[in-house]
Amino acid sequence: AQKVTQAQTEISVVEKEDVTLDCVYETRDTTYYLFWYKQPPSGELVFLIRRNSFDEQNEISGRYSWNFQKSTSSFNFTITASQVVDSAVYFCALSELRGGADGLTFGKGTHLIIQP
Amino acid sequence: ETGVTQTPRHLVMGMTNKKSLKCEQHLGHNAMYWYKQSAKKPLELMFVYNFKEQTENNSVPSRFSPECPNSSHLFLHLHTLQPEDSALYLCASSLDLRTGALGYGYTFGSGTRLTVV
């Protein structure tokens, strides 16, 4: 069975600090997809990134970067020069390519607090 | 607005009440999902509909009853709930199941915050 672990329940940093959110996953499939979502106080989950299991290239998007390491089954998310607006709950998720009937498997989320 | 609209945003109900949560999307999506988000637990997939047909029921108690009259609307009917059912209920949609699994256009609503008293 698939599983996603986000060991950090809550992280609090001061604005402008860099912060890394950890995500470790388990799956038996060789083809799978990994995601990060942001959940602001308004509640909706906002899609940040999608990665397939065959693409281990790291990705950078502005202040956001993602490090995918199949050898350690990790897909970590780093925010550089954090800002107060980054405060939210961040979820890592996994999807196996079996028609999508299982939806996405989510981690418990990491509550990120950026203090001014 | 994400394109997926959930109403009401907040709901307080007694254990003997019957209420319904509504989810609506006009994105042209054919797969719709109900997730439950409890405090300090992962989001749990409850129900999946693909082209109006229910494809998944993840051992959800019968006091939760989904309904999908068409591809644009999804309901979650609630009756005789328990306090532990208090949670944020999120609706999501995708073009279909497969594209949902691939992560293309998996769109979430803002959720209904349910409190059972």
Side-chain angles (χ1 to χ4, degrees), chain B residues 2-74:
Chain B
T2 66
V4 175
T5 303
Q6 290 187 244
T7 53
R9 290 297 306 273
H10 301 273
L11 178 62
V12 178
M13 59 185 288
M15 289 189 282
T16 57
N17 291 160
K18 289 185 180 180
K19 296 285 185 183
S20 295
L21 310 185
K22 180 181 176 183
C23 176
E24 183 174 356
Q25 56 87 11
H26 296 288
L27 301 170
H29 289 175
N30 297 296
M32 296 187 79
Y33 313 78
W34 279 117
Y35 281 87
K36 176 183 178 182
Q37 184 179 6
S38 305
K40 301 182 181 176
K41 292 176 72 174
L43 273 79
E44 302 168 72
L45 180 65
M46 299 175 72
F47 301 105
V48 180
Y49 278 83
N50 194 40
F51 292 91
K52 300 189 298 178
E53 296 296 320
Q54 185 175 329
T55 62
E56 193 78 11
N57 174 343
N58 275 356
S59 303
V60 180
S62 59
R63 57 186 184 268
F64 295 92
S65 173
E67 179 189 2
C68 189
N70 54 62
S71 291
S72 299
H73 294 85
L74 183 65

Side-chain angles (χ1 to χ4, degrees), chain A residues 52-71:
Chain A
N52 76 56
S53 51
F54 299 107
D55 183 0
E56 286 193 73
Q57 274 194 327
N58 290 333
E59 178 149 344
I60 298 175
S61 176
R63 297 183 296 105
Y64 295 172
S65 62
W66 291 268
N67 183 291
F68 177 28
Q69 303 246 349
K70 280 179 87 168
S71 60

